Amino acid sequence: MALPLPEETLLEMYWTMLLSRRLDERAWALHRQGKIAFHISAIGHEAAQVGAAYAIRRGYDWVAPYYRDLTLMLALGYTPREFMLNLMGKKGDPSSGGRQMPSHWSLKRANVISHSAPVATQTSHAAGIGLAIKLRGEDKVVITSVGEGSTSQGEWYEGVNWAAVHKLPVVFIIVNNLYAISVRQELQMAVANAADKALGLGLPGVSVDGMDFLTMYQVMKEAVDRARSGDGPTIVEARVYRITPHSSDDDDRSYRSREEVEQFKQRDPLLIARRTLEGEGVLTPQKHEALEQRAKELVDEAVRFGESAPYPDPEEAAYPVYAEDVQNA
Ligand SMILES: Cc1ncc(C[n+]2csc(CCOP(=O)(O)OP(=O)(O)O)c2C)c(N)n1
Ligand SMILES: [Mg+2]
């Protein structure tokens, strides 16, 4: 098939997915060892996130993510060390200096805004940033993501509606992993696809296989190009599956069968990407092994770094989260 990106870029995307998976698995282990208080996982969501990240101009466009977006964050330059500081609530955590819950991202150097824990608040933040871009006459775009359950929130409709009315340069990603904690999609919406909600809001809505990073990239690229050229926002629904429980504090055996989880594991986005890239001769088993080795070393090193890092000083609790001069803002 015709590959949409240079081989080197495809390998970089694969590497980001692999690193995300290995960091994520380590986070689960750290939680079970009592070394961190909480983890919320991106496992199963990696392809959708890397596809979205590579569709924007990273470091130039704006990003309003949600808590599952570890792979997206890594693609934007977030480091394994920073992730460990975040998980462990240590000094220097770029998201909040150890004050927010883990995985409530912020990364100023990558134009990732800080976000709140109430789901879908980032939707109206993204619409607001979109309006600012339009008023300033810039050619930037904003991407923002929520889970499918979060599209039940009034704030989600308000943000998307505003962006559609004013043709703002925003791409609204809905990560449909079928569940909002224990609540299945059918109990959240009467439409078959979350993207169908676009019809009532007056913007295009596309539902895609979010387990395939190339499909996601191509659909996101179109939506981002559309937004950048002034044609307005798009909803992109990425159909994925949450292979893990909702978070470290959830027991998914109470609401879904093991057979269902096993069935979706056959469509693990990492396996799909590996198969595609090996089929195209971009990846070889040897290259894959070398990446595995590198990921293990990086994760080990990041854990050591996080464990030996100090906790924030008590007065840092009163510092601002996003302001330029943290000491004097
Ligand atoms: C307004 C609000 N209500 C409830 C919660 C608690 N909560 C956190 S995540 C979550 C489920 C969200 O599900 P979904 O949007 O499908 O995202 P997923 O976790 O499946 O990726 C809920 C109910 C919250 N954070 N904010
Ligand atoms: Mg969900």
Side-chain angles (χ1 to χ4, degrees):
M1 70 175 164
L3 294 170
L5 287 164
E7 289 193 7
E8 202 179 300
T9 311
L10 295 172
L11 275 179
E12 204 178 273
M13 292 168 88
Y14 182 69
W15 158 247
T16 307
M17 292 170 65
L18 186 68
L19 178 63
S20 178
R21 176 67 61 93
R22 300 298 172 243
L23 276 168
D24 206 308
E25 289 166 345
R26 188 65 62 89
W28 283 95
L30 289 169
H31 180 268
R32 298 314 192 226
Q33 291 166 350
K35 292 184 172 178
I36 62 170
F38 180 76
H39 178 53
I40 193 153
S41 188
I43 293 180
H45 303 66
E46 294 95 341
Q49 296 179 23
V50 86
Y54 276 74
I56 63 167
R57 290 170 64 182
R58 287 170 292 153
Y60 179 76
D61 292 327
W62 289 89
V63 182
Y66 90 123
Y67 46 76
R68 286 208 197 282
D69 281 326
L70 173 61
T71 324
L72 172 69
M73 290 300 297
L74 293 170
L76 294 168
Y78 190 64
T79 67
R81 282 183 169 196
E82 287 172 330
F83 181 51
M84 288 301 157
L85 292 178
N86 179 254
L87 281 180
M88 296 175 185
K90 294 291 182 81
K91 191 181 175 80
D93 153 39
S95 295
S96 72
R99 286 166 292 171
Q100 225 325 359
M101 288 174 76
S103 301
H104 287 63
W105 321 107
S106 172
L107 192 63
K108 201 171 166 126
R109 64 172 188 268
N111 286 352
V112 179
I113 63 164
S114 58
H115 76 267
S116 313
V119 296
T121 41
Q122 68 273 30
T123 309
S124 39
H125 296 159
I129 295 171
L131 183 62
I133 291 170
K134 190 173 174 183
L135 292 175
R136 290 175 180 174
E138 295 173 349
D139 71 340
K140 298 186 181 200
V141 303
V142 195
I143 62 167
T144 187
S145 49
V146 291
E148 85 296 338
S150 303
T151 67
S152 298
Q153 287 287 119
E155 191 153 358
W156 184 80
Y157 290 96
E158 291 169 30
V160 178
N161 183 60
W162 185 256
V165 168
H166 295 281
K167 282 197 173 303
L168 302 180
V170 191
V171 180
F172 296 99
I173 303 166
I174 304 174
V175 180
N176 188 349
N177 58 15
L178 299 182
Y179 291 89
I181 311 184
S182 58
V183 181
R184 270 190 77 96
Q185 179 190 337
E186 302 82 73
L187 295 174
Q188 291 277 355
M189 61 190 84
V191 285
N193 299 306
D196 297 345
K197 296 185 179 198
L199 192 62
L201 292 161
L203 73 167
V206 201
S207 182
V208 298
D209 179 5
M211 302 290 230
D212 180 351
F213 78 115
L214 291 182
T215 305
M216 184 68 182
Y217 165 77
Q218 279 163 318
V219 171
M220 278 298 297
K221 183 77 174 62
E222 257 176 55
V224 166
D225 288 350
R226 218 179 138 260
R228 204 183 303 284
S229 59
D231 292 333
T234 306
I235 290 176
V236 175
E237 172 186 14
R239 285 181 277 105
V240 299
Y241 189 75
R242 165 166 60 70
I243 292 170
T244 67
H246 172 74
S247 74
S248 53
D249 300 355
D250 174 41
D251 182 355
D252 65 331
R253 289 172 301 185
S254 64
Y255 57 83
R256 60 182 187 179
S257 70
R258 296 305 87 195
E259 291 72 34
E260 180 188 297
V261 177
E262 284 310 312
Q263 190 192 325
F264 276 102
K265 274 190 186 170
Q266 307 305 313
R267 298 212 67 244
D268 183 322
L270 252 79
L271 292 180
I272 293 177
R274 188 174 170 186
R275 237 177 267 142
T276 306
L277 294 178
E278 287 189 353
E280 295 294 328
V282 176
L283 186 68
T284 59
Q286 293 75 10
K287 268 192 203 170
H288 169 81
E289 260 326 299
L291 295 179
E292 282 283 17
Q293 189 53 37
R294 192 168 139 219
K296 187 175 179 326
E297 283 163 16
L298 271 177
V299 174
D300 286 347
E301 196 281 332
V303 172
R304 283 196 298 273
F305 177 82
E307 286 186 323
S308 60
Y311 285 104
D313 302 319
E315 59 269 26
E316 289 183 42
Y319 289 175
V321 173
Y322 208 72
E324 203 61 63
D325 184 347
V326 173
Q327 307 277 348
N328 298 308

Short mmCIF file of all heavy atoms in Angstrom, two decimals, residues 114-175:
data_model
loop_
_atom_site.label_atom_id
_atom_site.label_comp_id
_atom_site.label_asym_id
_atom_site.label_seq_id
_atom_site.Cartn_x
_atom_site.Cartn_y
_atom_site.Cartn_z
N SER A 114 -3.41 23.04 30.83
CA SER A 114 -3.72 22.22 32.00
C SER A 114 -5.22 21.96 32.01
O SER A 114 -6.00 22.80 31.55
CB SER A 114 -3.31 22.94 33.29
OG SER A 114 -3.96 24.17 33.39
N HIS A 115 -5.61 20.79 32.48
CA HIS A 115 -7.05 20.54 32.46
C HIS A 115 -7.58 20.09 33.81
O HIS A 115 -6.86 19.62 34.66
CB HIS A 115 -7.45 19.60 31.33
CG HIS A 115 -7.13 18.16 31.53
ND1 HIS A 115 -5.98 17.56 31.10
CD2 HIS A 115 -7.86 17.18 32.09
CE1 HIS A 115 -6.00 16.29 31.39
NE2 HIS A 115 -7.13 16.01 31.99
N SER A 116 -8.89 20.26 33.95
CA SER A 116 -9.54 19.97 35.23
C SER A 116 -10.04 18.54 35.24
O SER A 116 -10.20 17.92 34.20
CB SER A 116 -10.75 20.89 35.42
OG SER A 116 -10.40 22.21 35.13
N ALA A 117 -10.33 18.03 36.42
CA ALA A 117 -10.82 16.66 36.53
C ALA A 117 -12.26 16.47 36.04
O ALA A 117 -12.59 15.39 35.54
CB ALA A 117 -10.67 16.18 37.97
N PRO A 118 -13.17 17.45 36.15
CA PRO A 118 -14.52 17.21 35.62
C PRO A 118 -14.46 16.98 34.11
O PRO A 118 -13.90 17.80 33.38
CB PRO A 118 -15.28 18.51 35.94
CG PRO A 118 -14.47 19.19 36.99
CD PRO A 118 -13.06 18.77 36.76
N VAL A 119 -15.00 15.86 33.66
CA VAL A 119 -14.84 15.50 32.25
C VAL A 119 -15.55 16.51 31.34
O VAL A 119 -16.60 17.05 31.69
CB VAL A 119 -15.34 14.06 31.96
CG1 VAL A 119 -14.49 13.03 32.70
CG2 VAL A 119 -16.82 13.90 32.29
N ALA A 120 -14.96 16.74 30.18
CA ALA A 120 -15.48 17.60 29.10
C ALA A 120 -15.25 19.10 29.33
O ALA A 120 -15.61 19.90 28.47
CB ALA A 120 -16.95 17.34 28.78
N THR A 121 -14.64 19.46 30.44
CA THR A 121 -14.33 20.90 30.61
C THR A 121 -13.35 21.35 29.54
O THR A 121 -13.39 22.51 29.11
CB THR A 121 -13.74 21.18 32.01
OG1 THR A 121 -12.83 20.14 32.35
CG2 THR A 121 -14.83 21.25 33.06
N GLN A 122 -12.49 20.43 29.08
CA GLN A 122 -11.51 20.82 28.05
C GLN A 122 -12.17 21.12 26.71
O GLN A 122 -11.55 21.76 25.85
CB GLN A 122 -10.40 19.75 27.90
CG GLN A 122 -10.82 18.43 27.31
CD GLN A 122 -11.33 17.48 28.38
OE1 GLN A 122 -11.88 17.87 29.39
NE2 GLN A 122 -11.17 16.18 28.15
N THR A 123 -13.42 20.67 26.53
CA THR A 123 -14.10 20.93 25.26
C THR A 123 -14.35 22.44 25.11
O THR A 123 -14.11 23.02 24.05
CB THR A 123 -15.44 20.16 25.19
OG1 THR A 123 -15.18 18.80 25.51
CG2 THR A 123 -16.05 20.25 23.80
N SER A 124 -14.84 23.05 26.16
CA SER A 124 -15.08 24.50 26.05
C SER A 124 -13.76 25.28 26.10
O SER A 124 -13.65 26.34 25.48
CB SER A 124 -16.07 24.99 27.10
OG SER A 124 -15.87 24.36 28.32
N HIS A 125 -12.76 24.76 26.79
CA HIS A 125 -11.44 25.41 26.73
C HIS A 125 -10.94 25.42 25.28
O HIS A 125 -10.43 26.43 24.80
CB HIS A 125 -10.42 24.67 27.60
CG HIS A 125 -10.74 24.68 29.06
ND1 HIS A 125 -10.23 23.76 29.94
CD2 HIS A 125 -11.54 25.49 29.79
CE1 HIS A 125 -10.70 24.01 31.15
NE2 HIS A 125 -11.49 25.06 31.09
N ALA A 126 -11.10 24.28 24.60
CA ALA A 126 -10.62 24.18 23.21
C ALA A 126 -11.39 25.14 22.31
O ALA A 126 -10.80 25.81 21.45
CB ALA A 126 -10.77 22.75 22.71
N ALA A 127 -12.71 25.24 22.52
CA ALA A 127 -13.50 26.18 21.71
C ALA A 127 -13.01 27.61 21.96
O ALA A 127 -12.89 28.41 21.02
CB ALA A 127 -14.98 26.04 22.04
N GLY A 128 -12.71 27.92 23.19
CA GLY A 128 -12.21 29.26 23.54
C GLY A 128 -10.87 29.55 22.89
O GLY A 128 -10.64 30.65 22.35
N ILE A 129 -9.99 28.56 22.89
CA ILE A 129 -8.68 28.75 22.23
C ILE A 129 -8.90 28.92 20.73
O ILE A 129 -8.26 29.77 20.09
CB ILE A 129 -7.75 27.56 22.53
CG1 ILE A 129 -7.42 27.48 24.02
CG2 ILE A 129 -6.45 27.68 21.72
CD1 ILE A 129 -6.69 26.21 24.45
N GLY A 130 -9.83 28.14 20.19
CA GLY A 130 -10.15 28.26 18.76
C GLY A 130 -10.62 29.67 18.42
O GLY A 130 -10.24 30.24 17.39
N LEU A 131 -11.44 30.23 19.30
CA LEU A 131 -11.94 31.58 19.05
C LEU A 131 -10.78 32.59 19.09
O LEU A 131 -10.70 33.49 18.25
CB LEU A 131 -13.01 31.95 20.09
CG LEU A 131 -13.67 33.32 19.90
CD1 LEU A 131 -14.39 33.41 18.56
CD2 LEU A 131 -14.65 33.61 21.04
N ALA A 132 -9.88 32.41 20.06
CA ALA A 132 -8.73 33.32 20.17
C ALA A 132 -7.87 33.24 18.91
O ALA A 132 -7.42 34.27 18.38
CB ALA A 132 -7.90 32.95 21.40
N ILE A 133 -7.67 32.04 18.40
CA ILE A 133 -6.86 31.86 17.17
C ILE A 133 -7.52 32.61 16.02
O ILE A 133 -6.86 33.33 15.25
CB ILE A 133 -6.74 30.35 16.83
CG1 ILE A 133 -5.87 29.63 17.86
CG2 ILE A 133 -6.18 30.17 15.41
CD1 ILE A 133 -5.88 28.11 17.73
N LYS A 134 -8.84 32.46 15.94
CA LYS A 134 -9.57 33.11 14.84
C LYS A 134 -9.49 34.64 14.97
O LYS A 134 -9.21 35.34 13.98
CB LYS A 134 -11.03 32.65 14.85
CG LYS A 134 -11.77 33.08 13.61
CD LYS A 134 -13.15 32.50 13.54
CE LYS A 134 -13.88 33.11 12.35
NZ LYS A 134 -15.26 32.64 12.26
N LEU A 135 -9.70 35.13 16.17
CA LEU A 135 -9.67 36.59 16.36
C LEU A 135 -8.28 37.17 16.07
O LEU A 135 -8.14 38.26 15.56
CB LEU A 135 -10.09 36.94 17.80
CG LEU A 135 -11.55 36.67 18.16
CD1 LEU A 135 -11.82 36.94 19.64
CD2 LEU A 135 -12.49 37.51 17.29
N ARG A 136 -7.26 36.39 16.38
CA ARG A 136 -5.89 36.86 16.13
C ARG A 136 -5.44 36.64 14.69
O ARG A 136 -4.36 37.05 14.30
CB ARG A 136 -4.91 36.11 17.05
CG ARG A 136 -5.04 36.49 18.50
CD ARG A 136 -4.11 35.60 19.30
NE ARG A 136 -4.16 35.89 20.72
CZ ARG A 136 -3.52 35.18 21.64
NH1 ARG A 136 -2.81 34.13 21.29
NH2 ARG A 136 -3.62 35.49 22.91
N GLY A 137 -6.24 35.92 13.94
CA GLY A 137 -5.89 35.65 12.55
C GLY A 137 -4.71 34.70 12.39
O GLY A 137 -3.98 34.74 11.40
N GLU A 138 -4.52 33.80 13.37
CA GLU A 138 -3.41 32.84 13.29
C GLU A 138 -3.82 31.62 12.47
O GLU A 138 -5.01 31.39 12.25
CB GLU A 138 -3.01 32.40 14.70
CG GLU A 138 -2.44 33.53 15.55
CD GLU A 138 -2.22 33.11 17.00
OE1 GLU A 138 -2.70 32.03 17.42
OE2 GLU A 138 -1.59 33.89 17.73
N ASP A 139 -2.83 30.82 12.08
CA ASP A 139 -3.18 29.61 11.32
C ASP A 139 -3.00 28.35 12.17
O ASP A 139 -2.73 27.27 11.67
CB ASP A 139 -2.33 29.52 10.04
CG ASP A 139 -0.88 29.20 10.34
OD1 ASP A 139 -0.43 29.40 11.51
OD2 ASP A 139 -0.16 28.75 9.43
N LYS A 140 -3.18 28.49 13.47
CA LYS A 140 -3.05 27.33 14.35
C LYS A 140 -4.38 26.57 14.44
O LYS A 140 -5.42 27.12 14.11
CB LYS A 140 -2.65 27.79 15.76
CG LYS A 140 -1.31 28.49 15.76
CD LYS A 140 -0.86 28.82 17.15
CE LYS A 140 0.49 29.53 17.06
NZ LYS A 140 1.24 29.51 18.28
N VAL A 141 -4.30 25.34 14.94
CA VAL A 141 -5.51 24.59 15.24
C VAL A 141 -5.44 24.07 16.68
O VAL A 141 -4.37 24.11 17.30
CB VAL A 141 -5.73 23.40 14.27
CG1 VAL A 141 -5.77 23.83 12.83
CG2 VAL A 141 -4.68 22.33 14.48
N VAL A 142 -6.57 23.63 17.18
CA VAL A 142 -6.63 23.00 18.50
C VAL A 142 -7.17 21.60 18.32
O VAL A 142 -8.14 21.41 17.57
CB VAL A 142 -7.64 23.70 19.44
CG1 VAL A 142 -7.42 23.28 20.88
CG2 VAL A 142 -7.63 25.19 19.27
N ILE A 143 -6.57 20.63 18.99
CA ILE A 143 -7.24 19.33 19.07
C ILE A 143 -7.58 19.07 20.53
O ILE A 143 -6.83 19.48 21.43
CB ILE A 143 -6.40 18.16 18.47
CG1 ILE A 143 -5.08 17.97 19.21
CG2 ILE A 143 -6.17 18.37 16.98
CD1 ILE A 143 -4.37 16.65 18.86
N THR A 144 -8.71 18.44 20.73
CA THR A 144 -9.12 18.13 22.10
C THR A 144 -9.78 16.76 22.12
O THR A 144 -10.38 16.35 21.12
CB THR A 144 -10.06 19.21 22.66
OG1 THR A 144 -10.31 18.94 24.05
CG2 THR A 144 -11.39 19.28 21.91
N SER A 145 -9.66 16.05 23.22
CA SER A 145 -10.21 14.70 23.27
C SER A 145 -11.04 14.49 24.53
O SER A 145 -10.76 15.10 25.57
CB SER A 145 -9.07 13.67 23.23
OG SER A 145 -8.08 14.02 24.18
N VAL A 146 -12.04 13.63 24.39
CA VAL A 146 -12.84 13.16 25.54
C VAL A 146 -13.22 11.71 25.26
O VAL A 146 -13.19 11.26 24.12
CB VAL A 146 -14.17 13.94 25.71
CG1 VAL A 146 -13.98 15.37 26.15
CG2 VAL A 146 -15.03 13.87 24.44
N GLY A 147 -13.64 11.01 26.30
CA GLY A 147 -14.21 9.68 26.10
C GLY A 147 -15.64 9.80 25.61
O GLY A 147 -16.26 10.87 25.71
N GLU A 148 -16.19 8.69 25.09
CA GLU A 148 -17.56 8.74 24.56
C GLU A 148 -18.56 9.06 25.67
O GLU A 148 -19.54 9.78 25.44
CB GLU A 148 -17.92 7.45 23.82
CG GLU A 148 -18.43 6.27 24.65
CD GLU A 148 -17.42 5.74 25.65
OE1 GLU A 148 -16.22 5.94 25.46
OE2 GLU A 148 -17.85 5.10 26.64
N GLY A 149 -18.31 8.56 26.88
CA GLY A 149 -19.23 8.83 27.99
C GLY A 149 -19.30 10.33 28.30
O GLY A 149 -20.37 10.86 28.64
N SER A 150 -18.18 10.98 28.14
CA SER A 150 -18.11 12.41 28.47
C SER A 150 -18.88 13.27 27.48
O SER A 150 -19.15 14.44 27.76
CB SER A 150 -16.64 12.86 28.51
OG SER A 150 -15.94 12.07 29.44
N THR A 151 -19.26 12.70 26.33
CA THR A 151 -20.08 13.49 25.40
C THR A 151 -21.52 13.60 25.89
O THR A 151 -22.34 14.24 25.25
CB THR A 151 -20.05 12.90 23.97
OG1 THR A 151 -20.72 11.63 23.97
CG2 THR A 151 -18.64 12.74 23.44
N SER A 152 -21.85 12.98 27.03
CA SER A 152 -23.17 13.19 27.64
C SER A 152 -23.20 14.49 28.43
O SER A 152 -24.28 14.94 28.84
CB SER A 152 -23.50 12.05 28.61
OG SER A 152 -23.55 10.84 27.92
N GLN A 153 -22.04 15.05 28.70
CA GLN A 153 -21.98 16.28 29.49
C GLN A 153 -22.51 17.48 28.69
O GLN A 153 -22.15 17.64 27.52
CB GLN A 153 -20.53 16.57 29.88
CG GLN A 153 -19.97 15.67 30.94
CD GLN A 153 -20.55 15.99 32.30
OE1 GLN A 153 -21.19 15.15 32.93
NE2 GLN A 153 -20.37 17.20 32.77
N GLY A 154 -23.26 18.34 29.34
CA GLY A 154 -23.74 19.56 28.69
C GLY A 154 -22.59 20.39 28.14
O GLY A 154 -22.68 20.98 27.06
N GLU A 155 -21.49 20.41 28.87
CA GLU A 155 -20.36 21.24 28.47
C GLU A 155 -19.77 20.79 27.12
O GLU A 155 -19.28 21.60 26.35
CB GLU A 155 -19.29 21.20 29.56
CG GLU A 155 -18.23 22.25 29.32
CD GLU A 155 -17.53 22.72 30.59
OE1 GLU A 155 -17.88 22.26 31.69
OE2 GLU A 155 -16.62 23.55 30.47
N TRP A 156 -19.86 19.50 26.85
CA TRP A 156 -19.35 19.02 25.56
C TRP A 156 -20.17 19.62 24.42
O TRP A 156 -19.62 20.16 23.46
CB TRP A 156 -19.37 17.48 25.51
CG TRP A 156 -18.77 16.96 24.24
CD1 TRP A 156 -17.44 16.82 23.97
CD2 TRP A 156 -19.47 16.57 23.05
NE1 TRP A 156 -17.26 16.35 22.70
CE2 TRP A 156 -18.49 16.19 22.10
CE3 TRP A 156 -20.81 16.49 22.70
CZ2 TRP A 156 -18.82 15.73 20.83
CZ3 TRP A 156 -21.14 16.04 21.43
CH2 TRP A 156 -20.15 15.67 20.51
N TYR A 157 -21.50 19.54 24.55
CA TYR A 157 -22.37 20.10 23.49
C TYR A 157 -22.15 21.60 23.34
O TYR A 157 -22.13 22.13 22.23
CB TYR A 157 -23.85 19.84 23.82
CG TYR A 157 -24.23 18.38 23.69
CD1 TYR A 157 -24.23 17.55 24.81
CD2 TYR A 157 -24.57 17.83 22.46
CE1 TYR A 157 -24.56 16.22 24.69
CE2 TYR A 157 -24.91 16.50 22.34
CZ TYR A 157 -24.90 15.70 23.46
OH TYR A 157 -25.22 14.37 23.34
N GLU A 158 -22.02 22.28 24.45
CA GLU A 158 -21.85 23.74 24.41
C GLU A 158 -20.57 24.12 23.67
O GLU A 158 -20.56 25.02 22.83
CB GLU A 158 -21.83 24.31 25.83
CG GLU A 158 -23.17 24.20 26.53
CD GLU A 158 -23.07 24.52 28.03
OE1 GLU A 158 -22.20 25.33 28.41
OE2 GLU A 158 -23.86 23.95 28.80
N GLY A 159 -19.50 23.42 23.98
CA GLY A 159 -18.21 23.73 23.33
C GLY A 159 -18.25 23.43 21.84
O GLY A 159 -17.82 24.25 21.02
N VAL A 160 -18.77 22.26 21.48
CA VAL A 160 -18.80 21.88 20.06
C VAL A 160 -19.73 22.81 19.29
O VAL A 160 -19.43 23.26 18.18
CB VAL A 160 -19.23 20.40 19.89
CG1 VAL A 160 -19.29 20.03 18.42
CG2 VAL A 160 -18.27 19.47 20.63
N ASN A 161 -20.89 23.10 19.89
CA ASN A 161 -21.85 23.98 19.23
C ASN A 161 -21.24 25.34 18.92
O ASN A 161 -21.35 25.87 17.81
CB ASN A 161 -23.08 24.14 20.14
CG ASN A 161 -24.16 24.98 19.49
OD1 ASN A 161 -24.66 24.64 18.43
ND2 ASN A 161 -24.49 26.11 20.12
N TRP A 162 -20.55 25.88 19.90
CA TRP A 162 -19.94 27.21 19.74
C TRP A 162 -18.91 27.18 18.59
O TRP A 162 -18.87 28.07 17.74
CB TRP A 162 -19.27 27.60 21.07
CG TRP A 162 -18.70 28.96 21.09
CD1 TRP A 162 -17.38 29.29 21.00
CD2 TRP A 162 -19.42 30.21 21.18
NE1 TRP A 162 -17.23 30.65 21.04
CE2 TRP A 162 -18.46 31.24 21.15
CE3 TRP A 162 -20.78 30.53 21.28
CZ2 TRP A 162 -18.81 32.58 21.22
CZ3 TRP A 162 -21.12 31.87 21.36
CH2 TRP A 162 -20.15 32.87 21.33
N ALA A 163 -18.12 26.13 18.58
CA ALA A 163 -17.09 26.02 17.54
C ALA A 163 -17.72 25.86 16.15
O ALA A 163 -17.22 26.40 15.16
CB ALA A 163 -16.17 24.83 17.84
N ALA A 164 -18.84 25.13 16.10
CA ALA A 164 -19.51 24.93 14.80
C ALA A 164 -20.12 26.24 14.31
O ALA A 164 -19.99 26.61 13.14
CB ALA A 164 -20.58 23.85 14.93
N VAL A 165 -20.77 26.97 15.22
CA VAL A 165 -21.41 28.24 14.85
C VAL A 165 -20.37 29.21 14.30
O VAL A 165 -20.59 29.87 13.29
CB VAL A 165 -22.13 28.86 16.09
CG1 VAL A 165 -22.53 30.31 15.81
CG2 VAL A 165 -23.34 28.03 16.47
N HIS A 166 -19.22 29.28 14.95
CA HIS A 166 -18.22 30.28 14.58
C HIS A 166 -17.11 29.72 13.69
O HIS A 166 -16.11 30.39 13.46
CB HIS A 166 -17.63 30.91 15.85
CG HIS A 166 -18.65 31.69 16.60
ND1 HIS A 166 -19.06 32.96 16.24
CD2 HIS A 166 -19.42 31.35 17.67
CE1 HIS A 166 -20.00 33.39 17.07
NE2 HIS A 166 -20.24 32.43 17.95
N LYS A 167 -17.31 28.51 13.21
CA LYS A 167 -16.31 27.86 12.32
C LYS A 167 -14.90 27.97 12.89
O LYS A 167 -13.96 28.46 12.24
CB LYS A 167 -16.37 28.49 10.92
CG LYS A 167 -17.54 28.00 10.07
CD LYS A 167 -17.28 28.33 8.60
CE LYS A 167 -18.29 27.73 7.65
NZ LYS A 167 -18.46 26.30 7.71
N LEU A 168 -14.74 27.49 14.10
CA LEU A 168 -13.45 27.62 14.78
C LEU A 168 -12.52 26.46 14.39
O LEU A 168 -12.98 25.35 14.08
CB LEU A 168 -13.67 27.66 16.30
CG LEU A 168 -14.59 28.78 16.78
CD1 LEU A 168 -14.74 28.75 18.30
CD2 LEU A 168 -14.07 30.16 16.33
N PRO A 169 -11.22 26.70 14.44
CA PRO A 169 -10.26 25.68 13.99
C PRO A 169 -9.98 24.61 15.05
O PRO A 169 -8.89 24.55 15.63
CB PRO A 169 -9.00 26.51 13.70
CG PRO A 169 -9.08 27.67 14.64
CD PRO A 169 -10.55 27.97 14.80
N VAL A 170 -10.98 23.80 15.32
CA VAL A 170 -10.87 22.78 16.38
C VAL A 170 -11.20 21.40 15.82
O VAL A 170 -12.10 21.26 14.99
CB VAL A 170 -11.86 23.08 17.54
CG1 VAL A 170 -11.56 22.19 18.73
CG2 VAL A 170 -11.84 24.55 17.95
N VAL A 171 -10.48 20.40 16.27
CA VAL A 171 -10.87 19.02 15.99
C VAL A 171 -11.25 18.36 17.32
O VAL A 171 -10.44 18.33 18.25
CB VAL A 171 -9.75 18.22 15.29
CG1 VAL A 171 -10.21 16.78 15.03
CG2 VAL A 171 -9.34 18.90 14.00
N PHE A 172 -12.49 17.92 17.41
CA PHE A 172 -13.01 17.30 18.62
C PHE A 172 -12.90 15.78 18.48
O PHE A 172 -13.63 15.17 17.71
CB PHE A 172 -14.48 17.69 18.84
CG PHE A 172 -14.68 19.16 19.07
CD1 PHE A 172 -15.09 20.00 18.04
CD2 PHE A 172 -14.44 19.72 20.32
CE1 PHE A 172 -15.28 21.37 18.27
CE2 PHE A 172 -14.62 21.07 20.56
CZ PHE A 172 -15.04 21.90 19.52
N ILE A 173 -11.98 15.20 19.22
CA ILE A 173 -11.81 13.74 19.15
C ILE A 173 -12.68 13.10 20.23
O ILE A 173 -12.66 13.53 21.39
CB ILE A 173 -10.34 13.37 19.40
CG1 ILE A 173 -9.42 14.06 18.39
CG2 ILE A 173 -10.14 11.85 19.36
CD1 ILE A 173 -7.94 14.00 18.77
N ILE A 174 -13.44 12.09 19.83
CA ILE A 174 -14.17 11.28 20.82
C ILE A 174 -13.52 9.90 20.84
O ILE A 174 -13.49 9.21 19.82
CB ILE A 174 -15.66 11.11 20.45
CG1 ILE A 174 -16.34 12.48 20.27
CG2 ILE A 174 -16.38 10.28 21.51
CD1 ILE A 174 -17.78 12.37 19.74
N VAL A 175 -12.99 9.55 21.97
CA VAL A 175 -12.33 8.26 22.10
C VAL A 175 -13.37 7.27 22.60
O VAL A 175 -13.71 7.26 23.79
CB VAL A 175 -11.15 8.36 23.08
CG1 VAL A 175 -10.45 7.02 23.24
CG2 VAL A 175 -10.17 9.44 22.62
#
